[in-house]
Amino acid sequence: CVISLFQAKSCICHMCGAHLNRLHSCLYCVFFGCFTKKHIHEHAKTKRHNLAIDLLYGGIYCFMCQDYIYDKDMEQIAKEEQRKAWKLQAFTPTVVSHYQCTMTGIGEKYSTWEPTKRELELLRHNPKRRKITTNCTIGLRGLINLGNTCFMNCIVQALTHTPLLRDFFLSDRHKCEMQSPSSCLVCEMSTLFQEFYSGHRSPHIPYRLLHLVWTHARHLAGYEQQDAHEFLIAALDVLHRHCKGDDNGKKANNPNHCNCIIDQIFTGGLQSDVTCQVCHGVSTTIDPFWDISLDLPGSSTPFWPLSPGSDGSVVNGESHVSGTTTLTDCLRRFTRPEHLGSSAKIKCSGCHSYQESTKQLTMKKLPIVACFHLKRFEHSAKLRRKITTYVSFPLELDMTPFMASSKESRMNGQYQQPTDSLNNDNKYSLFAVVNHQGTLESGHYTSFIRQHKDQWFKCDDAIITKASIKDVLDSEGYLLFYHKQFLEYE
Protein backbone atom coordinates (compact mmCIF):
# COMPACT_ATOMS: atom_id res chain seq x y z
CA CYS A 1 0.00 0.00 0.00
CA VAL A 2 2.72 2.48 1.03
CA ILE A 3 4.78 1.65 -2.09
CA SER A 4 1.78 2.13 -4.39
CA LEU A 5 0.91 5.49 -2.81
CA PHE A 6 4.49 6.74 -3.17
CA GLN A 7 4.60 5.60 -6.81
CA ALA A 8 1.33 7.32 -7.65
CA LYS A 9 1.66 10.58 -9.59
CA SER A 10 -1.80 11.86 -8.62
CA CYS A 11 -4.73 10.58 -6.55
CA ILE A 12 -7.48 10.55 -9.18
CA CYS A 13 -9.58 7.74 -10.61
CA HIS A 14 -7.58 6.04 -13.35
CA MET A 15 -10.76 5.37 -15.33
CA CYS A 16 -12.74 8.64 -15.18
CA GLY A 17 -10.26 11.16 -13.73
CA ALA A 18 -12.53 12.11 -10.80
CA HIS A 19 -10.97 13.02 -7.45
CA LEU A 20 -14.11 12.50 -5.33
CA ASN A 21 -16.74 9.72 -5.44
CA ARG A 22 -15.14 7.87 -2.49
CA LEU A 23 -11.77 7.28 -4.10
CA HIS A 24 -10.11 3.95 -3.19
CA SER A 25 -6.57 2.69 -3.78
CA CYS A 26 -5.79 -0.91 -4.69
CA LEU A 27 -3.54 -2.57 -2.13
CA TYR A 28 -1.91 -4.77 -4.79
CA CYS A 29 -0.88 -2.25 -7.45
CA VAL A 30 -0.79 1.45 -8.30
CA PHE A 31 -4.47 1.93 -9.15
CA PHE A 32 -7.04 4.43 -7.94
CA GLY A 33 -10.73 4.03 -8.65
CA CYS A 34 -14.12 5.52 -7.76
CA PHE A 35 -16.16 3.48 -5.31
CA THR A 36 -19.41 5.28 -6.15
CA LYS A 37 -19.09 4.61 -9.90
CA LYS A 38 -17.73 1.10 -9.16
CA HIS A 39 -14.51 1.64 -11.11
CA ILE A 40 -12.53 0.14 -8.22
CA HIS A 41 -14.95 -2.82 -8.29
CA GLU A 42 -14.24 -3.40 -11.99
CA HIS A 43 -10.49 -3.31 -11.32
CA ALA A 44 -10.83 -5.82 -8.47
CA LYS A 45 -12.89 -8.20 -10.60
CA THR A 46 -10.56 -7.98 -13.62
CA LYS A 47 -7.25 -8.20 -11.74
CA ARG A 48 -8.50 -10.27 -8.79
CA HIS A 49 -7.07 -7.62 -6.47
CA ASN A 50 -9.59 -8.00 -3.68
CA LEU A 51 -8.37 -5.42 -1.15
CA ALA A 52 -8.56 -1.60 -1.45
CA ILE A 53 -8.21 1.28 1.01
CA ASP A 54 -10.58 4.23 1.33
CA LEU A 55 -8.35 7.31 0.85
CA LEU A 56 -10.62 9.58 2.89
CA TYR A 57 -11.10 7.52 6.06
CA GLY A 58 -8.42 4.80 5.79
CA GLY A 59 -10.85 1.85 5.95
CA ILE A 60 -9.97 -1.38 4.10
CA TYR A 61 -12.60 -2.85 1.77
CA CYS A 62 -12.68 -6.56 0.87
CA PHE A 63 -14.40 -7.27 -2.46
CA MET A 64 -14.85 -10.95 -1.58
CA CYS A 65 -16.68 -10.09 1.66
CA GLN A 66 -18.24 -7.01 0.02
CA ASP A 67 -17.69 -5.10 3.24
CA TYR A 68 -15.11 -3.06 5.12
CA ILE A 69 -12.88 -5.11 7.40
CA TYR A 70 -11.22 -4.02 10.63
CA ASP A 71 -7.47 -4.14 11.06
CA LYS A 72 -5.99 -2.58 14.18
CA ASP A 73 -2.59 -1.81 12.65
CA MET A 74 -4.07 -0.21 9.53
CA GLU A 75 -6.44 1.89 11.65
CA GLN A 76 -3.49 3.21 13.66
CA ILE A 77 -1.56 4.02 10.47
CA ALA A 78 -4.61 5.83 9.04
CA LYS A 79 -5.01 7.94 12.19
CA GLU A 80 -1.33 8.84 12.19
CA GLU A 81 -1.41 9.89 8.53
CA GLN A 82 -4.56 11.94 9.13
CA ARG A 83 -2.89 13.76 12.01
CA LYS A 84 0.10 14.60 9.82
CA ALA A 85 -2.17 15.84 7.04
CA TRP A 86 -4.24 17.99 9.42
CA LYS A 87 -1.06 19.43 10.86
CA LEU A 88 0.03 20.48 7.37
CA GLN A 89 -3.35 22.18 6.98
CA ALA A 90 -2.98 24.00 10.33
CA PHE A 91 -5.53 26.83 10.63
CA THR A 92 -3.80 30.22 10.84
CA PRO A 93 -6.33 33.04 11.34
CA THR A 94 -3.64 35.73 11.14
CA VAL A 95 -3.31 34.91 7.44
CA VAL A 96 -6.85 35.47 6.26
CA SER A 97 -6.38 34.29 2.69
CA HIS A 98 -4.85 31.02 3.92
CA TYR A 99 -7.79 30.61 6.30
CA GLN A 100 -10.29 31.05 3.49
CA CYS A 101 -8.49 28.68 1.12
CA THR A 102 -7.75 25.68 3.37
CA MET A 103 -11.20 24.53 4.37
CA THR A 104 -10.79 21.13 2.70
CA GLY A 105 -11.06 17.84 4.54
CA ILE A 106 -8.39 15.15 4.51
CA GLY A 107 -8.23 13.23 1.25
CA GLU A 108 -10.46 15.72 -0.56
CA LYS A 109 -9.50 17.99 -3.43
CA TYR A 110 -11.92 20.76 -4.34
CA SER A 111 -12.03 22.32 -7.79
CA THR A 112 -13.68 25.57 -8.76
CA TRP A 113 -17.45 25.14 -9.04
CA GLU A 114 -18.98 25.73 -12.44
CA PRO A 115 -22.72 25.52 -13.11
CA THR A 116 -23.99 22.74 -15.38
CA LYS A 117 -26.09 23.46 -18.47
CA ARG A 118 -29.20 22.55 -16.50
CA GLU A 119 -28.25 24.92 -13.66
CA LEU A 120 -27.49 27.74 -16.14
CA GLU A 121 -30.93 27.27 -17.68
CA LEU A 122 -32.59 27.44 -14.26
CA LEU A 123 -30.63 30.58 -13.38
CA ARG A 124 -31.74 32.29 -16.61
CA HIS A 125 -35.41 31.58 -15.89
CA ASN A 126 -35.10 32.57 -12.22
CA PRO A 127 -33.10 35.82 -12.16
CA LYS A 128 -34.19 36.82 -8.65
CA ARG A 129 -31.63 36.04 -5.95
CA ARG A 130 -32.11 35.66 -2.23
CA LYS A 131 -29.84 38.01 -0.33
CA ILE A 132 -28.95 38.20 3.34
CA THR A 133 -30.50 41.48 4.39
CA THR A 134 -30.20 43.47 7.60
CA ASN A 135 -33.56 41.98 8.62
CA CYS A 136 -32.27 38.40 8.31
CA THR A 137 -32.70 36.34 11.48
CA ILE A 138 -30.46 33.40 10.52
CA GLY A 139 -28.35 32.57 13.56
CA LEU A 140 -30.87 33.91 16.07
CA ARG A 141 -32.36 31.20 18.23
CA GLY A 142 -33.56 31.11 21.81
CA LEU A 143 -32.40 28.55 24.36
CA ILE A 144 -34.69 26.76 26.81
CA ASN A 145 -33.79 27.28 30.47
CA LEU A 146 -33.30 23.79 31.91
CA GLY A 147 -33.45 24.97 35.52
CA ASN A 148 -31.27 27.94 36.50
CA THR A 149 -29.18 27.50 33.34
CA CYS A 150 -29.41 31.12 32.16
CA PHE A 151 -25.69 31.43 33.01
CA MET A 152 -24.96 28.80 30.33
CA ASN A 153 -27.43 30.16 27.77
CA CYS A 154 -25.93 33.65 27.71
CA ILE A 155 -22.39 32.29 27.18
CA VAL A 156 -23.62 29.98 24.40
CA GLN A 157 -25.19 33.00 22.68
CA ALA A 158 -21.87 34.88 22.90
CA LEU A 159 -19.84 31.94 21.55
CA THR A 160 -22.21 31.15 18.67
CA HIS A 161 -22.02 34.79 17.56
CA THR A 162 -18.22 35.02 17.73
CA PRO A 163 -17.41 35.79 14.05
CA LEU A 164 -14.26 33.71 13.52
CA LEU A 165 -15.49 30.82 15.69
CA ARG A 166 -18.71 30.79 13.68
CA ASP A 167 -16.75 30.64 10.41
CA PHE A 168 -14.64 27.77 11.75
CA PHE A 169 -17.54 25.55 12.79
CA LEU A 170 -19.79 26.32 9.82
CA SER A 171 -16.89 25.31 7.56
CA ASP A 172 -16.88 21.88 9.26
CA ARG A 173 -13.25 22.23 10.32
CA HIS A 174 -13.45 20.17 13.52
CA LYS A 175 -11.81 16.74 13.22
CA CYS A 176 -12.64 14.74 16.34
CA GLU A 177 -9.82 12.63 17.76
CA MET A 178 -11.57 11.44 20.91
CA GLN A 179 -12.26 7.74 21.31
CA SER A 180 -15.90 8.55 22.02
CA PRO A 181 -17.15 11.50 19.91
CA SER A 182 -20.39 11.51 21.95
CA SER A 183 -18.37 12.80 24.92
CA CYS A 184 -16.60 15.52 22.90
CA LEU A 185 -17.72 19.05 23.79
CA VAL A 186 -16.31 20.40 20.51
CA CYS A 187 -18.51 17.99 18.52
CA GLU A 188 -21.50 19.22 20.48
CA MET A 189 -20.54 22.85 19.81
CA SER A 190 -20.26 22.01 16.11
CA THR A 191 -23.79 20.56 16.23
CA LEU A 192 -24.95 23.63 18.15
CA PHE A 193 -23.68 25.95 15.42
CA GLN A 194 -25.52 23.87 12.82
CA GLU A 195 -28.70 24.14 14.90
CA PHE A 196 -28.35 27.91 15.34
CA TYR A 197 -27.74 28.60 11.63
CA SER A 198 -30.22 26.03 10.26
CA GLY A 199 -33.02 28.60 9.94
CA HIS A 200 -35.20 26.99 12.63
CA ARG A 201 -36.90 29.57 14.84
CA SER A 202 -38.16 27.42 17.68
CA PRO A 203 -36.04 27.58 20.88
CA HIS A 204 -33.29 24.99 21.06
CA ILE A 205 -33.04 22.65 24.07
CA PRO A 206 -29.32 22.39 25.00
CA TYR A 207 -29.66 19.28 27.18
CA ARG A 208 -26.69 17.47 25.60
CA LEU A 209 -24.45 20.49 26.11
CA LEU A 210 -25.51 20.73 29.75
CA HIS A 211 -24.82 17.02 30.28
CA LEU A 212 -21.33 17.30 28.77
CA VAL A 213 -20.54 20.36 30.91
CA TRP A 214 -21.62 18.47 34.01
CA THR A 215 -19.49 15.51 32.93
CA HIS A 216 -16.29 17.45 32.21
CA ALA A 217 -16.63 20.35 34.69
CA ARG A 218 -18.12 18.66 37.74
CA HIS A 219 -17.94 21.80 39.90
CA LEU A 220 -20.73 23.21 37.66
CA ALA A 221 -22.97 20.13 37.96
CA GLY A 222 -26.40 20.55 39.52
CA TYR A 223 -29.32 22.93 39.12
CA GLU A 224 -28.00 25.72 41.34
CA GLN A 225 -27.37 29.11 39.76
CA GLN A 226 -23.74 29.35 38.61
CA ASP A 227 -21.47 32.23 37.65
CA ALA A 228 -21.46 32.98 33.89
CA HIS A 229 -17.79 33.98 34.01
CA GLU A 230 -16.85 30.73 35.73
CA PHE A 231 -18.84 28.81 33.11
CA LEU A 232 -17.07 30.66 30.27
CA ILE A 233 -13.60 29.76 31.58
CA ALA A 234 -14.62 26.14 32.26
CA ALA A 235 -16.17 25.81 28.78
CA LEU A 236 -13.08 27.24 27.06
CA ASP A 237 -10.88 24.90 29.10
CA VAL A 238 -12.86 21.79 28.14
CA LEU A 239 -13.11 22.89 24.49
CA HIS A 240 -9.35 23.50 24.49
CA ARG A 241 -8.65 20.03 25.91
CA HIS A 242 -11.04 18.30 23.51
CA CYS A 243 -10.01 19.96 20.26
CA LYS A 244 -6.27 20.49 20.57
CA GLY A 245 -5.45 16.93 19.45
CA ASP A 246 -2.46 14.77 20.28
CA ASP A 247 -0.08 16.58 17.93
CA ASN A 248 -0.80 20.21 18.76
CA GLY A 249 -0.86 20.90 22.43
CA LYS A 250 0.97 18.37 24.57
CA LYS A 251 4.38 20.06 24.68
CA ALA A 252 3.23 21.60 27.94
CA ASN A 253 0.07 22.37 29.89
CA ASN A 254 0.46 26.00 28.87
CA PRO A 255 -2.28 27.03 26.37
CA ASN A 256 0.34 29.08 24.47
CA HIS A 257 1.83 25.79 23.22
CA CYS A 258 -1.47 24.77 21.61
CA ASN A 259 -2.62 25.55 18.09
CA CYS A 260 -6.28 24.62 18.56
CA ILE A 261 -9.02 26.99 17.39
CA ILE A 262 -9.93 27.99 20.96
CA ASP A 263 -6.43 29.20 21.77
CA GLN A 264 -5.97 30.81 18.38
CA ILE A 265 -9.06 32.93 18.99
CA PHE A 266 -9.18 33.52 22.76
CA THR A 267 -5.59 33.28 24.07
CA GLY A 268 -3.51 36.40 24.57
CA GLY A 269 -0.19 37.01 26.30
CA LEU A 270 0.01 39.10 29.48
CA GLN A 271 3.41 40.62 30.23
CA SER A 272 4.43 41.20 33.86
CA ASP A 273 7.42 43.50 34.48
CA VAL A 274 8.83 43.53 38.02
CA THR A 275 11.30 46.40 38.53
CA CYS A 276 13.77 46.50 41.43
CA GLN A 277 13.60 49.83 43.25
CA VAL A 278 17.35 49.76 44.00
CA CYS A 279 19.11 48.75 40.76
CA HIS A 280 16.09 49.24 38.45
CA GLY A 281 16.63 45.81 36.93
CA VAL A 282 13.54 44.38 35.24
CA SER A 283 12.33 40.78 35.44
CA THR A 284 9.79 39.95 32.71
CA THR A 285 7.38 37.01 32.47
CA ILE A 286 4.64 36.39 29.90
CA ASP A 287 1.56 34.34 30.82
CA PRO A 288 -1.39 33.27 28.67
CA PHE A 289 -4.87 34.59 29.39
CA TRP A 290 -8.38 33.95 28.12
CA ASP A 291 -9.93 37.00 29.76
CA ILE A 292 -9.00 40.11 31.73
CA SER A 293 -10.68 40.60 35.14
CA LEU A 294 -11.04 44.28 36.04
CA ASP A 295 -11.63 45.85 39.47
CA LEU A 296 -14.47 48.36 39.84
CA PRO A 297 -15.03 51.46 41.98
CA GLY A 298 -17.03 50.53 45.05
CA SER A 299 -15.02 47.38 45.73
CA SER A 300 -12.80 46.97 48.77
CA THR A 301 -9.79 47.42 46.44
CA PRO A 302 -8.87 51.13 46.12
CA PHE A 303 -9.69 52.33 42.61
CA TRP A 304 -7.25 54.80 41.08
CA PRO A 305 -6.79 56.63 38.79
CA LEU A 306 -9.73 57.82 36.72
CA SER A 307 -8.81 58.76 33.18
CA PRO A 308 -7.98 62.36 32.22
CA GLY A 309 -11.14 62.36 30.13
CA SER A 310 -13.50 62.13 33.13
CA ASP A 311 -14.27 65.85 32.83
CA GLY A 312 -16.55 65.30 29.84
CA SER A 313 -14.14 64.67 26.97
CA VAL A 314 -13.97 61.57 24.77
CA VAL A 315 -11.28 58.91 25.28
CA ASN A 316 -11.15 55.66 23.24
CA GLY A 317 -14.56 56.32 21.80
CA GLU A 318 -16.21 56.53 25.25
CA SER A 319 -18.38 59.51 26.05
CA HIS A 320 -17.43 60.53 29.56
CA VAL A 321 -19.95 62.00 31.96
CA SER A 322 -18.43 63.58 35.05
CA GLY A 323 -17.98 60.90 37.71
CA THR A 324 -18.71 57.99 35.32
CA THR A 325 -16.24 55.13 35.28
CA THR A 326 -15.25 53.84 31.85
CA LEU A 327 -13.74 50.62 30.55
CA THR A 328 -10.62 52.66 29.72
CA ASP A 329 -10.41 53.70 33.39
CA CYS A 330 -10.49 50.05 34.42
CA LEU A 331 -7.81 49.14 31.88
CA ARG A 332 -5.59 52.04 32.97
CA ARG A 333 -5.85 50.87 36.54
CA PHE A 334 -5.10 47.28 35.48
CA THR A 335 -1.94 48.32 33.60
CA ARG A 336 -0.64 50.96 36.03
CA PRO A 337 2.61 50.31 37.96
CA GLU A 338 1.90 48.93 41.41
CA HIS A 339 4.32 49.25 44.33
CA LEU A 340 4.54 45.82 46.00
CA GLY A 341 5.68 47.18 49.39
CA SER A 342 8.07 45.98 52.05
CA SER A 343 5.93 42.94 52.88
CA ALA A 344 6.32 41.53 49.37
CA LYS A 345 10.03 41.86 48.68
CA ILE A 346 11.49 39.75 45.87
CA LYS A 347 15.02 38.51 45.34
CA CYS A 348 16.55 40.73 42.67
CA SER A 349 18.83 38.94 40.19
CA GLY A 350 20.91 42.11 39.91
CA CYS A 351 21.29 42.97 43.59
CA HIS A 352 21.30 39.30 44.68
CA SER A 353 19.20 40.28 47.70
CA TYR A 354 15.55 40.85 48.60
CA GLN A 355 14.40 44.33 47.56
CA GLU A 356 11.18 46.28 47.21
CA SER A 357 9.85 46.45 43.67
CA THR A 358 7.07 47.65 41.40
CA LYS A 359 4.97 45.46 39.14
CA GLN A 360 3.27 46.46 35.91
CA LEU A 361 1.00 44.40 33.64
CA THR A 362 0.69 45.08 29.90
CA MET A 363 -0.52 43.19 26.84
CA LYS A 364 2.29 41.40 25.01
CA LYS A 365 -0.02 39.62 22.57
CA LEU A 366 -3.65 40.49 21.94
CA PRO A 367 -6.18 37.71 21.33
CA ILE A 368 -8.61 37.78 18.42
CA VAL A 369 -11.45 37.93 20.94
CA ALA A 370 -10.81 40.10 23.99
CA CYS A 371 -13.12 39.26 26.89
CA PHE A 372 -13.30 41.68 29.81
CA HIS A 373 -14.73 40.47 33.12
CA LEU A 374 -15.98 43.31 35.33
CA LYS A 375 -15.61 42.03 38.89
CA ARG A 376 -19.11 42.70 40.18
CA PHE A 377 -19.20 39.87 42.73
CA GLU A 378 -17.03 40.47 45.77
CA HIS A 379 -16.26 37.55 48.08
CA SER A 380 -14.16 37.90 51.23
CA ALA A 381 -14.13 36.63 54.78
CA LYS A 382 -16.15 39.65 55.93
CA LEU A 383 -18.04 40.62 52.80
CA ARG A 384 -20.22 39.03 50.12
CA ARG A 385 -21.97 41.46 47.83
CA LYS A 386 -22.64 42.59 44.27
CA ILE A 387 -21.12 45.85 42.95
CA THR A 388 -23.63 47.67 40.73
CA THR A 389 -21.35 50.55 39.64
CA TYR A 390 -22.17 51.61 36.09
CA VAL A 391 -19.21 51.27 33.72
CA SER A 392 -19.32 52.98 30.32
CA PHE A 393 -17.93 50.81 27.51
CA PRO A 394 -17.47 51.68 23.80
CA LEU A 395 -18.62 49.99 20.59
CA GLU A 396 -15.05 50.27 19.30
CA LEU A 397 -11.95 49.83 21.45
CA ASP A 398 -8.30 50.59 20.72
CA MET A 399 -5.97 48.51 22.90
CA THR A 400 -2.76 50.21 21.71
CA PRO A 401 -2.23 52.27 24.92
CA PHE A 402 -2.20 49.07 26.99
CA MET A 403 0.35 47.17 24.89
CA ALA A 404 3.84 46.30 26.15
CA SER A 405 5.26 47.83 22.96
CA SER A 406 3.54 51.15 23.76
CA LYS A 407 5.06 51.14 27.25
CA GLU A 408 8.53 50.53 25.82
CA SER A 409 8.04 53.33 23.26
CA ARG A 410 6.96 55.76 25.99
CA MET A 411 10.00 54.86 28.09
CA ASN A 412 12.22 55.59 25.06
CA GLY A 413 10.41 58.84 24.34
CA GLN A 414 9.22 57.56 20.95
CA TYR A 415 5.54 56.84 21.57
CA GLN A 416 2.98 58.40 19.25
CA GLN A 417 -0.72 57.63 19.13
CA PRO A 418 -1.39 55.86 15.77
CA THR A 419 -3.03 58.12 13.20
CA ASP A 420 -4.16 55.41 10.77
CA SER A 421 -6.89 53.71 12.78
CA LEU A 422 -8.18 51.74 9.77
CA ASN A 423 -5.08 49.55 9.61
CA ASN A 424 -4.54 49.25 13.33
CA ASP A 425 -4.42 45.59 14.35
CA ASN A 426 -5.23 46.58 17.94
CA LYS A 427 -8.74 47.86 17.18
CA TYR A 428 -11.75 45.86 18.36
CA SER A 429 -15.52 45.88 17.88
CA LEU A 430 -18.05 44.96 20.56
CA PHE A 431 -20.18 41.95 19.58
CA ALA A 432 -21.63 40.56 22.84
CA VAL A 433 -22.45 41.74 26.36
CA VAL A 434 -23.53 39.52 29.26
CA ASN A 435 -25.53 41.16 32.05
CA HIS A 436 -26.64 40.06 35.51
CA GLN A 437 -29.81 41.34 37.15
CA GLY A 438 -30.57 40.84 40.83
CA THR A 439 -28.49 40.14 43.89
CA LEU A 440 -25.59 37.86 44.68
CA GLU A 441 -27.94 35.22 46.11
CA SER A 442 -30.72 35.52 43.52
CA GLY A 443 -30.33 36.82 40.01
CA HIS A 444 -30.74 36.23 36.29
CA TYR A 445 -28.36 36.40 33.31
CA THR A 446 -29.23 37.87 29.92
CA SER A 447 -27.08 38.84 26.95
CA PHE A 448 -26.97 41.25 24.05
CA ILE A 449 -25.52 39.89 20.81
CA ARG A 450 -24.69 41.62 17.53
CA GLN A 451 -26.24 39.98 14.48
CA HIS A 452 -25.07 42.39 11.79
CA LYS A 453 -22.86 45.48 11.93
CA ASP A 454 -25.40 47.59 13.84
CA GLN A 455 -28.17 45.07 14.54
CA TRP A 456 -28.42 44.06 18.21
CA PHE A 457 -30.72 41.60 19.96
CA LYS A 458 -31.42 40.81 23.59
CA CYS A 459 -31.32 37.10 24.47
CA ASP A 460 -33.32 36.16 27.56
CA ASP A 461 -33.25 32.34 27.48
CA ALA A 462 -35.97 31.33 24.96
CA ILE A 463 -37.01 34.92 24.20
CA ILE A 464 -35.11 37.05 21.68
CA THR A 465 -36.09 40.68 21.09
CA LYS A 466 -34.68 43.52 19.01
CA ALA A 467 -32.46 45.91 20.97
CA SER A 468 -31.03 49.34 20.25
CA ILE A 469 -27.37 50.30 20.56
CA LYS A 470 -28.45 52.55 23.46
CA ASP A 471 -29.96 49.53 25.24
CA VAL A 472 -26.62 47.76 24.92
CA LEU A 473 -24.41 50.65 26.04
CA ASP A 474 -26.73 51.59 28.93
CA SER A 475 -26.69 48.05 30.34
CA GLU A 476 -24.77 47.28 33.52
CA GLY A 477 -22.23 45.00 31.84
CA TYR A 478 -20.65 41.92 33.43
CA LEU A 479 -18.78 40.26 30.53
CA LEU A 480 -17.79 42.29 27.47
CA PHE A 481 -16.73 40.52 24.26
CA TYR A 482 -14.71 42.37 21.60
CA HIS A 483 -13.52 40.97 18.25
CA LYS A 484 -10.52 42.18 16.23
CA GLN A 485 -11.97 44.33 13.48
CA PHE A 486 -9.74 43.21 10.60
CA LEU A 487 -10.70 39.53 11.14
CA GLU A 488 -14.45 40.03 11.19
CA TYR A 489 -16.68 38.65 8.45
CA GLU A 490 -20.11 40.13 8.24
Side-chain angles (χ1 to χ4, degrees):
C1 172
V2 175
I3 294 173
S4 66
L5 288 173
F6 272 114
Q7 290 176 340
K9 293 181 179 179
S10 59
C11 293
I12 60 173
C13 177
H14 287 187
M15 297 185 73
C16 70
H19 50 259
L20 296 177
N21 298 323
R22 291 177 63 193
L23 199 63
H24 282 57
S25 170
C26 176
L27 289 181
Y28 295 81
C29 66
V30 186
F31 181 89
F32 297 92
C34 298
F35 193 91
T36 305
K37 295 182 178 180
K38 296 191 179 297
H39 291 155
I40 191 69
H41 297 70
E42 293 175 28
H43 172 80
K45 185 177 180 180
T46 304
K47 298 291 185 178
R48 296 186 180 180
H49 293 176
N50 293 317
L51 293 175
I53 185 168
D54 182 340
L55 293 184
L56 184 58
Y57 299 106
I60 298 176
Y61 189 86
C62 175
F63 290 94
M64 295 184 71
C65 304
Q66 295 186 5
D67 199 359
Y68 287 94
I69 57 175
Y70 176 75
D71 183 90
K72 185 177 180 181
D73 293 334
M74 287 300 297
E75 183 187 50
Q76 190 60 38
I77 292 172
K79 285 184 178 179
E80 201 59 43
E81 293 304 316
Q82 281 183 331
R83 288 193 192 99
K84 290 177 183 177
W86 293 335
K87 194 172 184 179
L88 289 173
Q89 291 189 9
F91 172 66
T92 310
T94 52
V95 184
V96 179
S97 60
H98 178 72
Y99 159 71
Q100 292 172 323
C101 297
T102 57
M103 292 301 177
T104 58
I106 302 308
E108 299 178 47
K109 176 185 174 184
Y110 291 101
S111 58
T112 305
W113 174 79
E114 292 183 7
T116 63
K117 290 182 179 180
R118 171 64 177 158
E119 288 168 338
L120 284 171
E121 195 65 27
L122 288 171
L123 289 170
R124 289 193 194 98
H125 288 88
N126 298 275
K128 291 184 179 180
R129 304 284 180 267
R130 293 190 64 184
K131 296 181 180 179
I132 296 178
T133 65
T134 55
N135 296 322
C136 178
T137 58
I138 293 291
L140 291 174
R141 196 165 183 186
L143 290 165
I144 297 293
N145 192 317
L146 300 174
N148 288 325
T149 58
C150 56
F151 69 93
M152 177 182 75
N153 290 348
C154 64
I155 297 301
V156 168
Q157 293 287 359
L159 292 178
T160 51
H161 289 88
T162 301
L164 210 56
L165 195 64
R166 172 198 64 203
D167 295 345
F168 175 86
F169 278 110
L170 293 184
S171 300
D172 198 23
R173 287 281 291 164
H174 171 54
K175 311 294 183 183
C176 186
E177 294 191 10
M178 295 188 66
Q179 291 183 347
S180 175
S182 61
S183 65
C184 176
L185 187 61
V186 192
C187 288
E188 179 56 29
M189 280 300 294
S190 183
T191 303
L192 203 62
F193 272 88
Q194 299 296 332
E195 287 288 345
F196 262 72
Y197 291 90
S198 65
H200 296 307
R201 296 188 178 184
S202 59
H204 179 66
I205 307 173
Y207 66 93
R208 288 182 58 197
L209 179 69
L210 182 64
H211 171 72
L212 286 174
V213 170
W214 284 2
T215 302
H216 298 291
R218 295 190 178 276
H219 61 290
L220 296 175
Y223 289 101
E224 298 83 9
Q225 179 65 274
Q226 303 288 351
D227 180 24
H229 173 246
E230 189 176 2
F231 176 83
L232 170 66
I233 299 304
L236 291 179
D237 178 59
V238 176
L239 288 168
H240 156 71
R241 287 190 277 117
H242 285 193
C243 77
K244 65 183 181 179
D246 293 335
D247 56 342
N248 282 330
K250 292 191 175 178
K251 296 177 183 176
N253 291 326
N254 189 325
N256 267 353
H257 291 283
C258 180
N259 198 37
C260 74
I261 187 62
I262 298 302
D263 283 295
Q264 289 194 57
I265 291 178
F266 292 95
T267 298
L270 188 66
Q271 180 169 316
S272 174
D273 294 317
V274 179
T275 306
C276 175
Q277 294 298 285
V278 176
C279 70
H280 302 292
V282 180
S283 173
T284 299
T285 57
I286 299 172
D287 296 306
F289 69 87
W290 279 332
D291 72 315
I292 296 293
S293 293
L294 301 170
D295 289 315
L296 301 181
S299 67
S300 57
T301 305
F303 192 91
W304 180 91
L306 289 177
S307 71
S310 57
D311 56 358
S313 62
V314 175
V315 175
N316 212 347
E318 296 166 320
S319 180
H320 291 253
V321 179
S322 181
T324 300
T325 303
T326 69
L327 178 60
T328 301
D329 293 330
C330 298
L331 285 167
R332 288 189 180 202
R333 184 192 184 282
F334 182 79
T335 56
R336 80 178 196 270
E338 178 186 3
H339 185 68
L340 297 181
S342 57
S343 61
K345 290 183 178 181
I346 62 164
K347 188 171 184 179
C348 175
S349 58
C351 300
H352 302 291
S353 60
Y354 287 91
Q355 303 291 352
E356 291 189 22
S357 58
T358 59
K359 179 180 179 180
Q360 185 173 11
L361 299 174
T362 49
M363 309 294 164
K364 179 65 176 178
K365 174 183 174 291
L366 289 173
I368 292 173
V369 169
C371 175
F372 300 104
H373 165 226
L374 304 183
K375 295 162 71 172
R376 296 198 173 277
F377 303 125
E378 191 168 40
H379 302 270
S380 65
K382 298 180 180 180
L383 199 62
R384 291 184 75 255
R385 60 173 180 146
K386 179 184 174 184
I387 300 167
T388 58
T389 304
Y390 172 70
V391 176
S392 171
F393 50 91
L395 286 174
E396 295 188 346
L397 177 67
D398 186 358
M399 289 293 290
T400 303
F402 313 109
M403 296 293 292
S405 56
S406 298
K407 174 194 169 186
E408 292 160 8
S409 298
R410 284 193 298 270
M411 292 175 67
N412 297 329
Q414 300 172 342
Y415 178 71
Q416 290 183 343
Q417 190 72 19
T419 55
D420 187 3
S421 60
L422 293 177
N423 295 320
N424 188 356
D425 290 354
N426 302 332
K427 286 189 73 71
Y428 287 80
S429 294
L430 183 73
F431 72 91
V433 178
V434 171
N435 289 289
H436 179 270
Q437 291 87 39
T439 64
L440 192 66
E441 291 76 22
S442 176
H444 180 61
Y445 287 101
T446 60
S447 59
F448 288 105
I449 57 97
R450 189 189 65 189
Q451 173 71 352
H452 298 288
K453 189 63 179 175
D454 294 315
Q455 301 291 316
W456 286 86
F457 293 86
K458 182 179 180 180
C459 303
D460 186 351
D461 288 331
I463 302 172
I464 296 181
T465 53
K466 189 79 182 288
S468 67
I469 293 177
K470 186 177 185 300
D471 293 332
V472 178
L473 298 181
D474 285 349
S475 66
E476 190 176 85
Y478 179 49
L479 297 173
L480 310 175
F481 293 84
Y482 286 84
H483 199 284
K484 274 196 174 183
Q485 288 183 356
F486 82 99
L487 283 173
E488 286 187 291
Y489 299 94
E490 289 297 336

